[in-house]
Amino acid sequence: MSTFLLVHGAWHSGRCWERVVPLLEAAGHRVFAPSLTGYGDKAHLLGPEVGLDTHVDDVVGLLTEGDLSDVVLVGHSYAGLVISSAANRTPERIAHLVYLDAMVPEDGESALDAQPVTRQLMELAEKSESGWRVPPMPEQPAPLGLFGVTDPADVAWLRGMLSDHPVRCLQQPVRLDNPAVNAIPRTHIHSVGAAPAGVTRRPVLPIQPNGTAARVWELPTGHDCMITMPSELSELLLKLS
């Protein structure tokens, strides 16, 4: 039995994994899909002080307080930064890192470095009345949709869980200064459907930090593959268990 910890990306909540969790549990695994501070059941905690470090604390707290070990740690989109820093702090608890259509940072990089289009979002937020709230990216015509989701019912469900994203999350850097984190195996899962304008994917190095060849899988769908292709995503994750 493996333990999966699924970490959602910017603007989303833990609810985005609702179609994946039962499939992993049906295969006999433990699954955690928390909402990070400022989202879902923690939406009331959203504020300008919430940043990347806050979300790393959320994940590390769950790992340590639950005494979780041999964890398959999955980060979607922005959460590629979150799982990287969390693994840096608790490498002994992580069996595998999965970057799900995610930002893949280097030490000292922020979301602004890993995904430059976020700078435009931050600048818009700084000019807004709040000065710190980044609203979700708008729905676009098919095939882009809302984060790659185009089915009207799914779009409505997804829109209902989205929250603003604090600017501080885009500014704080990732810390990857623990050599032990380099030994953790990594897998990259790319959604290769249509991507919003300005969003780029950093090429995966052919050799990972642990010295093994990079493993890259692809899903022929949009960004939120946990909503559009949950069965196919679950099948890939189960290969790591």
Side-chain angles (χ1 to χ4, degrees), residues 38-182:
Y39 306 99
D41 59 347
K42 300 177 183 176
H44 62 287
L45 299 176
L46 184 69
E49 73 287 351
V50 174
L52 173 62
D53 290 347
T54 311
H55 295 155
V56 174
D57 287 343
D58 290 339
V59 173
V60 171
L62 181 55
L63 289 168
T64 56
E65 292 168 16
D67 194 23
L68 305 182
S69 59
D70 294 322
V71 173
V72 179
L73 184 57
V74 182
H76 177 242
S77 195
Y78 153 79
L81 308 178
V82 179
I83 66 170
S84 295
S85 275
N88 188 71
R89 286 172 54 181
T90 59
E92 70 283 357
R93 296 184 179 275
I94 311 302
H96 208 106
L97 286 169
V98 180
Y99 292 86
L100 180 58
D101 218 33
M103 300 181 189
V104 183
E106 297 180 4
D107 183 39
E109 289 191 329
S110 68
L112 299 175
D113 302 308
Q115 189 59 263
V117 71
T118 57
R119 189 173 301 278
Q120 301 173 26
L121 301 175
M122 185 185 75
E123 291 172 352
L124 288 173
E126 290 176 339
K127 294 176 182 177
S128 69
E129 183 177 346
S130 71
W132 61 269
R133 300 174 72 111
V134 181
M137 298 179 72
E139 183 179 356
Q140 302 176 63
L144 299 175
L146 184 64
F147 296 102
V149 178
T150 56
D151 178 83
D154 288 345
V155 168
W157 178 64
L158 173 58
R159 188 181 290 114
M161 77 177 72
L162 299 179
S163 302
D164 289 349
H165 193 56
V167 163
R168 192 170 177 82
C169 293
L170 308 179
Q171 298 170 322
Q172 289 187 319
V174 166
R175 293 300 174 209
L176 293 173
D177 54 4
N178 186 344
V181 77
N182 293 330

